Amino acid sequence: MDKEEDTREYQVLVNSEEQYSLWLAGQAIPNGWRQVGPTGQKQVCLDYVKEVWTDMRPLSVRKAMEKYQAEQAARKAEVAAGAEGVEKVESSEGAESARGVESAESVPAATASGGEEAGAPA
C-alpha cells in the first residue's frame, strides 16, 4: 500500500520507557502503553513523534547515565578537594619546617665550658 493510499487513522502511544509508537486508531491499546499526542493521519502522528521524541534512549538508560555522570562528578570533586587538602597540609608542613629552621637559627648554639660556642676553636 502506498503512502498516499493509507487513509487509516493512527494514534501515538508511549510506554513507561518513554518510547513512542504509532498504533491504528480504534484498536485496543496494548498493556504498558498509553495514548498521547494526536490521532489522525499517519504523517501527522509521525511529525508529532519526531518533535517530541528527541532522545531515543529508554528512560531507564537515561536515568542510569545521569546517575553515573553525577557519581563521576562527585568523585572528581572529591579528588579535587582531597588534592587541595594535601596541598594545604604540605604547605603548612613546609611553613612549620621553615619556622623550625628560623627558631633554630635564633637560638644561640650550645656553649662548652669556658663560655665558648660549641664547635668554635679553643
Side-chain angles (χ1 to χ4, degrees), residues 8-91:
R8 299 175 291 183
E9 271 202 352
Y10 291 85
Q11 57 189 344
V12 179
L13 305 182
V14 67
N15 65 17
S16 62
E17 287 287 336
E18 294 183 357
Q19 297 170 309
Y20 289 81
S21 180
L22 298 188
W23 198 252
L24 285 172
Q27 297 289 322
I29 295 174
N31 288 336
W33 293 82
R34 61 184 168 83
Q35 199 237 336
V36 294
T39 297
Q41 293 181 337
K42 188 174 189 177
Q43 192 58 52
V44 170
C45 294
L46 287 171
D47 290 344
Y48 174 80
V49 170
K50 184 177 181 182
E51 181 182 327
V52 297
W53 198 9
T54 57
D55 190 339
M56 301 292 278
R57 298 171 300 165
L59 180 61
S60 59
V61 172
R62 292 193 315 261
K63 285 183 177 181
M65 290 182 76
E66 288 171 4
K67 181 181 176 186
Y68 173 78
Q69 289 170 340
E71 288 170 353
Q72 292 301 311
R75 283 191 188 118
K76 193 174 186 179
E78 222 174 80
V79 168
E84 185 177 299
V86 169
E87 289 174 13
K88 286 181 181 178
V89 168
E90 287 175 355
S91 65

Side-chain angles (χ1 to χ4, degrees), residues 88-104:
K88 286 181 181 178
V89 168
E90 287 175 355
S91 65
S92 67
E93 286 174 353
E96 288 172 10
S97 297
R99 276 188 239 116
V101 169
E102 290 168 8
S103 60

